[in-house]
Amino acid sequence: MTNSAPVGAAAPRMARDPADRRVTVIEVGTRDGLQIESTLVPTARKIEIVNAIIDSGVREIEVTSFVSPKAVPQLADAAEVLEGIRKRPDTYLMALVPNVKAADRAADTPLDGGLLLVSASETHNRKNLNRDIVASLAGMAATADRLRAARIDVMAAIAVAFGCPFEGDVPYAQVVAIARAYADLGVDHITLGDTTGMATPSNVRGLLRALKAALPQVEFVLHLHNTRGVGLANVLVGLEEGVRRFDACAGGLGGCPFAPGATGNICTEDLVYLLQESGWETGVDLERSIGVAMMMEETLGRRLVGQVMRAGPRLKLHAVDAVRTAQG
Ligand code: ZN
């Protein structure tokens, strides 16, 4: 398959030539980041942030979630935000759509892709979705049908795929079984969520190999958290294993309201920096990406953990006179 076969608005899923150096950075900050913030960000500000993300060159954005506004009031304005965004022709907007009710709310918005969600461990799934994995999967056909009827692409995510804070390691076979259930629903784009930062270079490689062997037709996306400081190391392993799509949060925002100890996602501008300095093409302007992180910081009124946003690009040189000379 070549890259000339568009699917949906922005051709998000493509088999790629090994010589193709393109990597897709998916911004998830307004969803995974803002869902756990105590600050309720005004709708107009969210729209401004998403527009700045688009202006930075990011084409795919997980904007929000259609979870119950009672459960996550921070994202109660999902439809209004989507409607307010200044989309470019190649912009592809995604949101979590965990059930039929959510799909009903998403149906009349400019959403391009809706993500189904299940956790790889029973305990996390019960905390997150209040039901067991089998019941969650059984409910998904109806959600997928509702999305497709609204001409929204159906995608899927698996939370705690690399380990669960309640149960520990999740057997690869369990993740493969869930991915297969998604594939049976016609889903060919599955995000592997490292919800609480339990992914390591070793289990990233192991799980990706198990999944690719079982489901070669599916494209896997990595959603990594940097909870234990190995987020970007896991990206490098993902690249080696053929992953070309990564979720990230501006400024390193993020977490999970239903998982103890969950901290930020890998940071968008740090990821862009790593990819560009390693010869990958992201289409993202690093300075503008740093600008988005600054906007997030200003919006939330606290310092974010991103590193490149502090240091700047490596060849952004400083005036010699601006730095004090050591005395002796
Ligand atoms: Zn996350």
Side-chain angles (χ1 to χ4, degrees), residues 70-257:
K70 264 188 236 138
V72 186
Q74 291 90 334
L75 304 181
D77 57 0
E80 291 87 338
V81 173
L82 284 164
E83 273 147 24
I85 294 166
R86 198 180 56 239
K87 275 178 93 169
R88 291 184 181 177
D90 62 351
T91 302
Y92 193 89
L93 301 178
M94 293 173 275
L96 285 182
V97 184
N99 51 48
V100 175
K101 218 172 179 180
D104 280 338
R105 289 175 56 218
D108 294 321
T109 68
L111 191 68
D112 298 299
L115 285 141
L116 309 174
L117 177 69
V118 72
S119 300
S121 82
E122 281 299 348
T123 319
H124 191 269
N125 201 64
R126 283 181 188 282
K127 289 266 180 204
N128 207 10
L129 301 174
N130 205 18
R131 61 183 69 173
D132 65 29
I133 292 174
V134 169
S136 297
L137 290 170
M140 281 178 191
T143 309
D145 287 348
R146 183 72 190 93
L147 287 171
R148 290 192 177 112
R151 308 180 68 82
I152 296 170
D153 293 335
V154 181
M155 302 167 164
I158 304 175
V160 299
F162 299 94
C164 165
F166 307 109
E167 296 184 15
D169 280 329
V170 176
Y172 295 162
Q174 194 162 320
V175 183
V176 170
I178 293 170
R180 184 168 280 127
Y182 278 145
D184 289 346
L185 286 176
V187 173
D188 57 4
H189 178 286
I190 298 177
T191 300
L192 304 172
D194 178 26
T195 314
T196 64
M198 291 173 73
T200 65
S202 151
N203 68 18
V204 167
R205 198 180 306 282
L207 180 59
L208 284 170
R209 287 188 180 179
L211 286 165
K212 280 190 300 182
L215 299 161
Q217 77 280 18
V218 173
E219 174 159 24
F220 292 98
V221 180
L222 284 179
H223 174 102
L224 300 164
H225 282 244
N226 195 36
T227 318
R228 293 175 172 81
V230 292
L232 292 183
N234 291 334
V235 168
L236 292 176
V237 173
L239 288 165
E240 281 174 14
E241 295 299 322
V243 175
R244 294 294 179 266
R245 313 167 78 75
F246 297 90
D247 286 359
C249 276
L253 281 177
C256 172

